[in-house]
Amino acid sequence: EEEPLYSHVGVLVKEEGTWKVVHAVPGESEFSGDFDRVKAEALDGFFSPDRAFRGSLVHTGLADSARIAALSGEALQLARDSVRLDGSYDLTDSSRLYCTELVWMLYRHVGTDLSEGRRRYINVVGIHADCLLPEHLLSYRENQIYYNY
C-alpha cells in the first residue's frame, strides 16, 4: 500500500484581511489548560517547518461566492466555539471533529462531498471506525493543486 501524502488537512479562510487555516488538531496547546480543538491559525504557523515537511494548497472547484462565504463563516465559528477534537474518529457525531471530518462536513454543508464516499476502516488501539483520511479528500475529482512544497 502506498504511503499517504499528508497526515493533516484544514480549510483556508480569510479573516479580517489575514489568511488562516481552520483545522482540528491534537497536541498543539496554545496556553495552559488548552485542549485539543478546532482552531484558526495563521497560514505560516500551519505550514511552519516544525509542523509540516510537505504541503499543498488545493482548490476544490468551489466557485460560488455565497457558498464560499457560508463555508468560511461556519469554519471560523467552529474555531471561535473551540469545538473539541474527536479522538474516537466518529463520523456520526458532529459535536467533536477531527481534521478530515471538519473539512468534509464544512463542504457537505454547502453541497459538496469531497470524499465521494471513500472511507477506510481503522482498527487500532482505541479506534475502531470507518474513517476519512486526507487522501480521501485529496482524491476529489474537481481538485486542482495550486501550490506544493
Side-chain angles (χ1 to χ4, degrees):
E1 189 171 313
E2 190 174 309
E3 181 181 331
L5 288 175
Y6 305 106
S7 61
H8 191 57
V9 298
V11 173
L12 185 64
V13 298
K14 201 169 204 178
E15 181 181 40
E16 299 175 4
T18 302
W19 287 106
K20 295 187 176 180
V21 179
V22 175
H23 60 120
V25 62
E28 292 185 8
S29 298
E30 295 181 0
F31 52 87
S32 178
D34 196 9
F35 52 87
D36 295 340
R37 61 187 168 83
V38 174
K39 64 181 183 177
E41 179 174 31
L43 186 59
D44 60 348
F46 182 82
F47 282 126
S48 69
D50 62 324
R51 293 183 184 169
F53 65 89
R54 176 181 14 204
S56 294
L57 291 177
V58 179
H59 190 284
T60 62
L62 185 62
D64 179 292
S65 59
R67 290 171 62 204
I68 292 169
L71 186 149
S72 297
E74 186 172 348
L76 289 167
Q77 188 59 52
L78 291 169
R80 281 191 289 274
D81 291 345
S82 295
V83 171
R84 288 187 180 260
L85 180 80
D86 180 4
S88 64
Y89 298 87
D90 183 356
L91 287 173
T92 64
D93 177 8
S94 61
S95 68
R96 293 175 178 248
L97 300 167
Y98 62 97
C99 66
T100 48
E101 179 184 21
L102 167 68
V103 173
W104 173 71
M105 183 191 77
L106 289 167
Y107 274 86
R108 279 190 52 226
H109 281 260
V110 296
T112 300
D113 181 0
L114 295 179
S115 78
E116 299 172 307
R118 290 179 286 275
R119 304 284 185 280
R120 180 169 304 147
Y121 185 75
I122 304 294
N123 185 12
V124 295
V125 176
I127 303 171
H128 309 283
D130 281 320
C131 294
L132 278 167
L133 302 177
E135 60 263 27
H136 295 148
L137 305 185
L138 190 61
S139 297
Y140 180 61
R141 69 184 176 278
E142 293 185 38
N143 282 349
Q144 294 179 357
I145 295 177
Y146 280 180
Y147 177 75
N148 279 319
Y149 80 90

